Amino acid sequence: MTEQLDAGLVAQEIAEHPDALSQPYAGGELGRGRRRKEDAKLVTGQTNWTDNITLPGLLHMAVLRSPMAHATIVSVDVSAALEMPGVIAAYSGADLADVMGASMPCAWPVTPDMVSPVHTPLATDAVRYVGDGVAVVIARDRYAAADALEAIAVEYDQLPAVVDMEVALAEGAPLVHESAGTNKCFVFDFPGAGADYAETVSAAGDDVVVVKRRFIQQRLLPTPMEPRGVVVAPIAAADEFTMYSTTQIPHILRVMLALTTGIPEHKLRVVAPDVGGGFGAKLNVYAEEILALVVARKLGRPIKWTESRSENYQATTHGRDQIQDIEIAASKDGTILGLKVELLADMGAYLQLITPGVPVLGAFMFPAIYKMKAYHFTCTGVFTTKTPTDAYRGAGRPEATFAIERIMDELAAELGRDPMELRKQNWIKHEEFPYDMVAGLTYDSGNYEAATEKAEKMFDMVGLRAEQARRRESKDPVQLGIGISTFTEMCGLAPSRVLGSLSYGAGGWESASIRMLPTGKVEVVSGATPHGQGHHTAWSQIVADSLGVPFEDVELIAGDTQSSPKGMDTYGSRSLVVGGVAIHKATGKVLEKAKRIAAHLLEAAEGDVEFAKGTFTVKGSPEASLTIQQVALATFAAHNLPDGMEPSLDSDYVYDPENFSYPHGTHLCAVEIDTETGFTKIRKYVCVDDIGKIVNPVIVEGQIHGGLAQGIAQALYEEAVYDAEGNLTTGSLVDYHVPAAPDLPHFDTGRTETPATSNPLGVKGVGEAGTIASTPAVVNAVVDALRPFGVNDIRMPATPERVWRALHGDGSPSSDGSDRAAAGTIAYGGTSTGSTAGAAASETIKSSGSAL
Amino acid sequence: MRVRMKVDGVQYEDEVEPRKLLTHHLREGLGRVGTPIGCDTSNCGSCIVLIDGDSVKSCSVLAVQADGADITTIQGLASGTEGSGTEGSGAQWHPVQRAFQEHHGLQCGYCTPGMIMATVDLLKRNPNPTEDEVRHGIEGNLCRCTGYQNIVKAVLSAASELRGDGPIPGSFQDAPVEKQEVPA
Ligand code: FES
Ligand code: FES
């Protein structure tokens, strides 16, 4: 072995590859607002959306969907479709029964006795929601396929629809799944980690105020601007397949496709090309993915399916849809004693990948940032004849945050307290972290005081409260309302052990690889799958910061199970907190190896070699140094490495987080309500978010903005409405109000920075914060404006009509025909003075329990 | 039916079904897939192209209606440099394209081609819009990712640049930041 630095050899290599020498240390990459690398293709239209993919001989698939919410399939006749020009094949559910798998997967059995109905990609016995697939056509182009759908004859025997969850649970209700014998999917009971709720309240004797509310989380349509689509390229003779899909989860999808269809996992490659937003709606295993795969396998021809927007609204999972009965107990001085939550969660007609898990995730979030002794959560999952629900930005946490932040305002009103003061009295003080919550989580860090102080300053709380008083006094037709949301969330999904304890079907780790190329450039391979988040940019920053290579020299490889073979994909604000940390740790392994090689080449003891700014230097002799690029080149050449050393700097890391992360923040909203028209205008929106350390402030700000838009949309604009027959009456963008630019205000955003202590980057995640926080801030503001008029709740979305009716005490049911009342009671001294929707409700709700 | 149209500087002549939407003809007939489709009710604006200089939702027009038209899609918006077309790696981006990057006016980018083409048309009609006029000017374009704030900034910046007043400084830091201490 030669201990000598072969200076001549390295010099020669470097002379031949000057690039490897000349790269300066870029430095200080974390926290820097780098321009996004992904933008070039996106602003020039050089994008690779799934629907852009074309292959020789590509055939188009179209799906015939049920026009009925509930019916028995008597017969499906595709013969006329087969006679149509350009049609290659047409199949009913029965035709594909033996190849399409027994059932699509639900990965989250939240209770051991959960009812998990068979869910085939095409219905075979009965249809259970409008949009349920009944047959497919394969044709030469999409027009021919669409034409042929009309030639398929289906005979249905109509069954009654079940649209409302409470109706579905009532005795004698029509059953969505006859064989299950019930519409109850599961009951998840969680008594928290604290004291018993009922005992705590009764032990308080006379010193207790109990406020109850029923909140409705309306159903939402996630609406990523890119509808779903899939392309399958088969090598039929080898029984091998490549699937391109508009998915957030190529890695999970691959496993699930293998398990469902029986095609061996190693014969499947799944690629998520450029994906135009997901928001949870592409976190799934969809019928069309399986259908395109099994049809491509049958025909040996490449197949494409692209969803129309109207189809998207029927066939892509919906979000939210819960009825929340929540009860908070406090002593008369305002100290919270406990919280009781009873949820009804609408599953829709079937369980998709994590349908039942979504409301269960919320179980841990209801106590939010508040200290309390007791907490009890129960959730009943209910089947209805509607499109299945599943994750939608925030998934369970926005619902929980809405309920607690709304009821904090109601408790404050009941006690005659300022809503912020009441929050301050009850929240965890910054010096009390880490804090064991009543819901069993340990919050590692936070500083609610700092975020609130900053937000109040930016908002001018004092000035706005004064203006509100003036307007109230002068009976101004335009009233001002101020809403608060001091939220937290759990993200960075998730510690695998915790997921296991919740019976989720997989782990929560993320994988990363760093490949040092001979010229000193770096490839970073991540198992997180981007669809708009800016991973390419942010991961480049993490790698550049750690290895001291230029930002420009890093390239991301992701979203393809062949080139980024291991991953848990992107959802739950996990990319940075889990995937980013994995990358950081993998760079650490690269440096460890590189240091040994550098020490060898510099003829120094490893302990004497220091690394900074991309350069290894021997302590005390600064002229003896090698850049990381030089070490990469020397490792590639492998002419002179320490004995027995593997000639590679490439490193892998799979990171399993030890805890969730807990971003938090204070959101303040001022609305102007025109009491004559009921129109709500957001006058000012201030948010200060504490998401820990940040990588790219510009990307962070963008995530916050987009999140706010979706949360505000739930508060004011969006609702998926079904009629009594189970028809989605908001079935296109004409009827479903996705906000456009004039519907949204300018957001004033700020940050405080309390690093997470549970991961080495100190990061917490930002993807969902804006959505989780903003909905209650806006609704609290609307209710605050209306409170002097005797209104203490309003249903979402708070449309002008609903506001107007609330103001004018119109007791008739609202135009959507719903009879769900926003009901509540107040009880003193531990004894309730009325049933939830009974007499006490009318004392506090001017509209006498009418639907608002 | 026979349809002639110029798309991004190239003259095409094709046989198309009378019912074929322009957007499908562009994407599938001519392979100009830079312009995506986001809806089936002409609400989202993803599919906007310029027809004879005016922004049009290409899903609301039949290919045959565009007979004889001169169409610019997002792929033809940059200007070519010597030795490269408008799509080559040396092409110069239009100020609106630059502004969208500089102000982080896009995330997933699906709405972006339509947003950019609508902006080009908006600024032609109103070179000096207020924030409110921008918000209403792009009302026919839906974006699910950005909350519009950075899009509005991008449009205002492009307006300023096109008027000759220079772009509004973007959000990005070119200088490195102080190295952050991260907890062990
Ligand atoms: S695709 Fe043309 S407006 Fe939506
Ligand atoms: S950037 Fe995703 S829809 Fe606008």
Side-chain angles (χ1 to χ4, degrees), chain A residues 51 58-65 86-91 96 121-122 135-149 228-232 243 286-296 299 301-308 311:
Chain A
D51 189 46
L58 184 68
L59 302 177
H60 291 258
M61 180 174 88
V63 181
L64 183 70
R65 301 189 180 279
V87 172
I88 281 77
Y91 304 107
L96 296 178
L122 286 178
V136 291
V137 164
I138 314 299
R140 278 181 59 189
D141 64 60
R142 71 172 83 222
Y143 283 62
D147 289 346
L149 288 186
R228 288 189 298 117
V230 57
V231 173
V232 177
M243 174 183 289
Y286 279 106
E288 297 82 3
E289 289 165 329
I290 294 172
L291 291 169
L293 179 61
V294 300
V295 169
L299 298 177
R301 306 273 299 267
I303 304 286
K304 178 194 270 191
W305 170 79
T306 302
E307 191 180 52
S308 73
E311 208 177 5

Side-chain angles (χ1 to χ4, degrees), chain A residues 22-43:
Chain A
S22 61
Q23 298 303 324
Y25 170 65
E29 285 291 340
L30 296 185
R32 185 170 178 185
R34 282 289 196 176
R35 279 174 191 77
R36 291 206 324 166
K37 291 185 170 182
E38 21 299 81
D39 290 345
K41 63 179 170 183
L42 298 171
V43 300

Side-chain angles (χ1 to χ4, degrees), chain A residues 27-28 30-36 39-40 42-46 49 51-52 142-143 147 221-223 225-226 276-277 279 308-310 392 532 545 693-694 698 702 705-706 709-710 718 734 739-742 744-747 760, chain B residues 19-21 24 27-28 33-34 36-41 43-44 74-75 87 93 97 101-102 104 106-110 112 116 135-136 138-139 142 144-150 171-177 179-183:
Chain A
L30 296 185
R32 185 170 178 185
R34 282 289 196 176
R35 279 174 191 77
R36 291 206 324 166
D39 290 345
L42 298 171
V43 300
T44 55
Q46 299 185 0
W49 310 118
D51 189 46
N52 292 2
R142 71 172 83 222
Y143 283 62
D147 289 346
L221 307 177
T223 322
M225 288 319 298
E226 180 198 34
F279 313 113
S308 73
R309 176 61 60 193
S310 308
Y392 172 53
D545 191 82
K693 289 285 181 190
I694 58 164
V698 184
H705 289 173
Q710 279 171 318
E718 295 182 15
V734 175
L744 292 169
H746 180 91
F747 312 118
Chain B
R19 61 174 175 168
K20 187 131 198 163
L21 296 176
H24 287 142
R27 291 178 53 79
E28 286 159 16
V33 291
I37 299 170
C39 72
D40 45 12
T41 48
N43 285 93
C44 77
I74 188 71
Q75 289 169 276
E87 294 164 81
W93 292 2
Q97 290 172 306
Q101 172 168 51
E102 287 301 311
H104 190 28
L106 66 153
Q107 289 177 30
C108 80
Y110 201 78
T112 309
I116 288 177
R135 285 185 183 267
H136 283 94
I138 57 168
E139 198 171 13
L142 297 176
R144 196 54 155 169
C145 297
T146 64
Y148 302 103
Q149 186 153 320
N150 287 342
S171 320
F172 295 95
Q173 297 159 293
D174 288 310
V177 290
K179 182 111 178 136
Q180 291 188 27
E181 285 310 312
V182 293

